[in-house]
Amino acid sequence: QVQLVESGGGLVQAGGSLRLSCTASGIILSINPMGWYRQAPGKQRELVASVTSGGDTDYADSVKGRFTISRDSAKNKVYLYMNSLKPEDTAVYYCNRIVKYFEPWGQGTLVTVSS
């Protein structure tokens, strides 16, 4: 049984920073291409950052230069470092594989950026 648990969200002022963590059980994150997704109210879920098993990273244009995805193989975790946060970054953030999603999705972690 795969379990994904996201944490680290919270309320932050615009310009602030947060670090999100994704902890997994039942899978080895480092051998899977993983991503951070977000879903804002009334909007579709979007992929904002990804890291391949080889360590290559990619970012949505909206977060490029502000967000950094990284992986700790020893701890079986994936992180999302978010800097220079904007109100439009407000969303529930999820981690999952970037192809062939693991089911079920985690509960996500809410990030709220105030202006």
Side-chain angles (χ1 to χ4, degrees):
Q1 178 84 22
V2 174
Q3 186 176 20
L4 298 166
V5 179
E6 301 89 354
S7 62
L11 174 63
V12 63
Q13 287 189 331
S17 300
L18 284 173
R19 186 191 76 167
L20 306 185
S21 298
C22 172
T23 302
S25 59
I27 55 171
I28 300 173
L29 292 180
S30 61
I31 64 173
N32 288 280
M34 295 297 296
W36 280 96
Y37 301 78
R38 68 184 180 188
Q39 187 166 21
K43 295 189 177 181
Q44 289 190 329
R45 186 172 56 211
E46 62 171 338
L47 177 66
V48 296
S50 62
V51 57
T52 67
S53 56
D56 294 328
T57 58
D58 196 18
Y59 300 92
D61 288 343
S62 58
V63 307
K64 200 168 292 184
R66 300 188 298 120
F67 289 11
T68 302
I69 188 170
S70 67
R71 196 172 52 201
D72 186 329
S73 300
K75 295 183 178 180
N76 203 31
K77 290 188 174 185
V78 176
Y79 301 102
L80 185 67
Y81 295 84
M82 305 188 296
N83 297 314
S84 303
L85 283 162
K86 304 176 181 180
E88 51 263 44
D89 295 319
T90 294
V92 179
Y93 285 72
Y94 305 87
C95 67
N96 209 322
R97 194 161 51 179
I98 59 173
V99 292
K100 294 184 181 179
Y101 302 142
F102 292 119
E103 295 288 352
W105 287 71
Q107 82 289 347
T109 186
L110 176 63
V111 172
T112 303
V113 184
S114 63
S115 57

